[in-house]
Amino acid sequence: MKITKITVQKKRKDRYNIFLDRGNGEEYAFSVDEGVLIEWQLKKGMFLTQEQEEEIKASDFKKDALNKGLQYLAHGMKTEYQIKDYLFQKDFPEDAIHDAVEKIRSFGYINDKEFADAFVRTKMNTSDKGPAVIKEELKNKGVHLSIADLALQQYSDDKQLAQAIRIIEKKGKRKKNESASLVKKRLTEGLLRKGYSLSIIDTALKEADLSHNEEDEWLALCSQGEKARRKLNKKYEGSTFRMKLKENLYRKGFSLSLIEQYIKNTEEEK
């Protein structure tokens, strides 16, 4: 096979179109990166075997994969897994991906430990996420769990506690007619979803200033009690009504002693 023509692509000046005569006249064969063109010293009139053509194409895949990987890194730090997955999505063959990743690593552009350290610092300073959620995010980015655990040592218990207290004091305002117990349950569930441990949450709830008092609790109970009474009065009476009312208010987080006091007061008024 003879190279009959080499032209520069219109949209990509770093790539060249190679035309061959395979015995049936000139036809477009493939394109290569400028680096591959120089590496193989391709020029008009040069003869290629089928094996050489395949080797040139393989070299071009590797060069293109490297370029794509470096372009992807230009948008920010990435893990080795992220680069491999990105190139896989671009349909590069496995050997081209492997070669590109090895070269990028040799340049010092891939370091999962440095990535994990920076990722944890960023999440600590710019989000309210706890260590469990951050660890899961690192895992999804392909960071080995041992590396993630080392990086998360930056997120000390004191820092977690301070963050959890800030969240509690921000989100802990009692909603209309909400019991103090239900407030704590809501906050606990929210912090668990954010990745904080129960021990940190319990300590934070004790130390946070929720500004809840007995009067607020009583007013919330009376309001919820009146709603429940109007609803249950239509179906129940006597001891059954009393039991259903108690169950309703207990599910809303009020203490049994306070519920008994409320029921006693309403019965005396009646």
Side-chain angles (χ1 to χ4, degrees), residues 67-76 78-79 82-83 86:
N67 290 338
K68 290 289 196 304
L70 292 172
Q71 289 168 11
Y72 183 51
L73 277 167
H75 298 290
K78 299 291 186 294
T79 64
Q82 286 178 298
I83 295 173
Y86 175 78

Side-chain angles (χ1 to χ4, degrees), residues 35-52:
V36 175
L37 183 81
I38 295 172
E39 177 188 351
W40 282 83
Q41 298 182 5
L42 300 177
K43 56 188 176 181
K44 182 179 178 181
M46 182 177 179
F47 286 89
L48 298 175
T49 64
Q50 185 65 45
E51 291 75 15
Q52 286 175 320

Side-chain angles (χ1 to χ4, degrees), residues 168-175 178 183 186 210 212:
I168 288 170
E169 292 180 346
K170 181 180 179 181
K171 304 284 187 180
K173 184 178 180 181
R174 188 196 296 258
K175 296 180 180 179
E178 188 179 29
V183 173
R186 170 168 58 81
L210 290 175
H212 294 168

Side-chain angles (χ1 to χ4, degrees), residues 220-233 235-256 258-267 270:
L221 171 59
C222 290
S223 178
Q224 294 282 7
E226 289 306 305
K227 290 180 182 178
R229 283 167 59 83
R230 287 195 296 270
K231 180 180 179 181
L232 295 171
N233 259 327
K235 297 182 179 180
Y236 308 102
E237 59 183 22
S239 61
T240 303
F241 168 80
R242 196 173 190 275
M243 180 188 69
K244 293 292 184 180
L245 178 60
K246 186 182 293 186
E247 289 175 353
N248 181 287
L249 294 173
Y250 185 72
R251 285 197 301 271
K252 289 181 168 58
F254 297 103
S255 68
L256 285 174
L258 208 59
I259 294 170
E260 291 285 2
Q261 183 61 49
Y262 168 74
I263 293 175
K264 179 182 178 183
N265 288 0
T266 54
E267 288 177 346
K270 184 175 179 182

Side-chain angles (χ1 to χ4, degrees), residues 11-252:
K11 293 184 178 180
R12 291 193 56 181
K13 301 301 182 182
D14 61 338
R15 292 196 65 80
Y16 294 78
N17 296 322
I18 308 298
F19 293 80
L20 296 176
D21 183 351
R22 305 178 190 275
N24 296 311
E26 181 181 273
E27 62 179 21
Y28 169 78
F30 54 89
S31 67
V32 294
D33 179 87
E34 185 175 43
V36 175
L37 183 81
I38 295 172
E39 177 188 351
W40 282 83
Q41 298 182 5
L42 300 177
K43 56 188 176 181
K44 182 179 178 181
M46 182 177 179
F47 286 89
L48 298 175
T49 64
Q50 185 65 45
E51 291 75 15
Q52 286 175 320
E53 180 182 353
E54 295 304 317
E55 288 177 20
I56 292 169
K57 289 179 180 178
S59 295
D60 187 65
F61 268 126
K62 291 179 180 180
K63 184 67 174 179
D64 195 27
L66 175 60
N67 290 338
K68 290 289 196 304
L70 292 172
Q71 289 168 11
Y72 183 51
L73 277 167
H75 298 290
M77 292 179 69
K78 299 291 186 294
T79 64
E80 180 174 325
Y81 169 81
Q82 286 178 298
I83 295 173
K84 286 181 177 179
D85 185 62
Y86 175 78
L87 294 176
F88 176 78
Q89 298 300 327
K90 295 291 183 181
D91 294 324
F92 284 104
E94 188 175 332
D95 61 332
I97 295 174
H98 175 77
D99 189 74
V101 169
E102 288 299 313
K103 280 187 169 62
I104 293 172
R105 185 189 291 110
S106 71
F107 298 155
Y109 296 155
I110 298 178
N111 189 314
D112 281 3
K113 183 180 182 305
E114 290 181 4
F115 176 92
D117 287 341
F119 187 84
V120 171
R121 283 195 302 271
T122 300
K123 293 298 179 181
M124 282 169 48
N125 296 325
T126 64
S127 79
D128 58 5
K129 294 178 180 179
V133 167
I134 296 174
K135 184 174 181 178
E136 185 65 22
E137 289 181 352
L138 285 171
K139 177 184 174 184
N140 291 338
K141 293 180 184 297
V143 175
H144 194 279
L145 291 181
S146 61
I147 295 176
D149 286 333
L150 283 173
L152 282 164
Q153 289 179 5
Q154 303 172 81
Y155 208 169
S156 66
D157 287 352
D158 288 344
K159 291 179 180 177
Q160 293 176 46
L161 180 60
Q163 184 68 287
I165 290 173
R166 281 194 290 272
I167 296 170
I168 288 170
E169 292 180 346
K170 181 180 179 181
K171 304 284 187 180
K173 184 178 180 181
R174 188 196 296 258
K175 296 180 180 179
K176 186 177 180 181
N177 302 326
E178 188 179 29
S179 68
S181 176
L182 209 57
V183 173
K184 289 186 177 181
K185 181 175 182 294
R186 170 168 58 81
L187 292 170
T188 297
E189 291 174 348
L191 286 166
L192 283 171
R193 287 194 297 271
K194 288 182 181 295
Y196 294 91
S197 67
L198 274 175
S199 60
I200 290 293
I201 295 170
D202 288 342
T203 304
L205 285 169
K206 292 173 184 175
E207 296 188 13
D209 180 14
L210 290 175
S211 300
H212 294 168
N213 55 53
E214 293 180 3
E215 183 180 359
D216 292 335
E217 188 78 353
W218 178 253
L219 290 174
L221 171 59
C222 290
S223 178
Q224 294 282 7
E226 289 306 305
K227 290 180 182 178
R229 283 167 59 83
R230 287 195 296 270
K231 180 180 179 181
L232 295 171
N233 259 327
K234 300 174 182 178
K235 297 182 179 180
Y236 308 102
E237 59 183 22
S239 61
T240 303
F241 168 80
R242 196 173 190 275
M243 180 188 69
K244 293 292 184 180
L245 178 60
K246 186 182 293 186
E247 289 175 353
N248 181 287
L249 294 173
Y250 185 72
R251 285 197 301 271
K252 289 181 168 58

